[in-house]
Amino acid sequence: MTASGTEDTVATLRARLQRTEEQASARQHQLERYAADLREVFKQERTRAQELRESYKATVRALSNAVEARDAYTGRHAERVTAYGIALAHAAGVEAERLAQIEFGFLLHDVGKVGVPDAILFKPGALTPDEFALIARHPVIGSEILRDVGFLGEGKLVVRHHHERWDGTGYPDRLPGDEIPLAARIFAVADALDALTTDRPYRRGTRFERAREEIRKHAGSQFDPDVVAAFDTISDATFAALRATNT
Ligand SMILES: [Fe+2]
């Protein structure tokens, strides 16, 4: 091969190499663009999912507020009991991904009271057995109201079973022990804590310390002993702070 022939070959190879490099670089840019597009799509999806979750939450809170608005004495009971219940669920080791549905259940636990006449719900004196039977239907009415609301998931179990007792003497299904869904067992303790520490027209609320003794006393009869043990890992100060932000 002549010297000029060799130069031609080198020039051709160089040109080919340069084309290859240009193509590789163009492909890389394209891939980077795809990756950026994909990241943007993920970001938008995340935002949309977040917005959806927020609107679920706002809807549930609106419904919960509508129930609360009927009863001037309980004030923000649903919000407080939800805050206590979520703290308890954390302490009891409930997986984070279950908490959203459980929280909805806590907020809506008494939604079935819309089916109980005011004259019975707010009757100042003792209830007749028939009147009590009507009130005792509110967990069933509540779970019927929410039956087809898919996103509430496990929360619906709280609504149905929030008045069950560990010893099987609660209502509506008289479920015993761990046949009661865990979220409902957790709710029962949170609900008792709020009932004991909130002023009512007929009595003043007790301090957290006294309420804790009362709840311990009923571990194994009214409450799941494991949930009461989890409850005991949370300080009075933590509950007081939760109450202060939900009053
Ligand atoms: Fe209830």
Side-chain angles (χ1 to χ4, degrees), residues 66-87:
V67 177
E68 298 261 274
R70 241 178 121 195
D71 188 349
Y73 290 119
T74 55
R76 299 185 67 207
H77 161 73
E79 300 279 348
R80 280 192 307 275
V81 99
T82 298
Y84 299 157
I86 291 296

Side-chain angles (χ1 to χ4, degrees), residues 77 80-81 83-85 88 186-198 200 203 205-213 215 223 231 234-236 238-240 242-243:
H77 161 73
R80 280 192 307 275
V81 99
Y84 299 157
L88 263 167
I186 289 172
F187 177 86
V189 173
D191 194 33
L193 182 66
D194 191 52
L196 289 165
T197 53
T198 302
R200 292 291 160 94
R203 62 151 178 77
T206 55
R207 294 152 50 89
F208 281 102
E209 208 181 304
R210 277 272 306 113
R212 192 182 288 278
E213 283 169 25
I215 286 169
F223 307 121
F231 166 69
I234 304 171
S235 69
D236 291 350
T238 303
F239 285 124
L242 290 173
R243 183 172 66 176

Side-chain angles (χ1 to χ4, degrees), residues 109-110 113 135 138-139 159 162-163 171 187 191:
H109 64 280
D110 268 345
K113 282 189 174 169
I135 287 194
H138 79 270
V159 177
H162 71 278
H163 286 290
Y171 60 89
F187 177 86
D191 194 33

Side-chain angles (χ1 to χ4, degrees), residues 170-193:
Y171 60 89
D173 299 316
R174 298 176 70 90
L175 296 182
D178 56 18
E179 282 182 36
I180 307 165
L182 175 61
R185 281 180 266 147
I186 289 172
F187 177 86
V189 173
D191 194 33
L193 182 66

Side-chain angles (χ1 to χ4, degrees), residues 3-26:
S4 76
T6 308
E7 276 168 26
D8 281 353
T9 310
V10 169
T12 309
L13 284 174
R14 230 182 239 136
R16 203 180 291 163
L17 184 63
Q18 195 179 346
R19 258 202 318 280
T20 309
E21 278 172 352
E22 279 167 6
Q23 281 167 354
S25 154

Side-chain angles (χ1 to χ4, degrees), residues 24-93:
S25 154
R27 262 200 297 274
Q28 190 182 339
H29 278 123
Q30 202 174 27
L31 279 175
E32 279 165 6
R33 266 203 308 278
Y34 286 156
D37 286 352
L38 213 54
R39 271 198 299 276
E40 186 54 31
V41 168
F42 276 136
K43 209 169 105 189
Q44 284 173 4
E45 276 306 309
R46 253 204 319 272
T47 309
R48 258 198 291 273
Q50 178 76 24
E51 282 169 1
L52 201 59
R53 266 200 302 277
E54 292 300 323
S55 49
Y56 280 165
K57 216 176 208 176
T59 308
V60 167
R61 279 181 196 278
L63 195 51
S64 158
N65 289 342
V67 177
E68 298 261 274
R70 241 178 121 195
D71 188 349
Y73 290 119
T74 55
R76 299 185 67 207
H77 161 73
E79 300 279 348
R80 280 192 307 275
V81 99
T82 298
Y84 299 157
I86 291 296
L88 263 167
H90 275 294

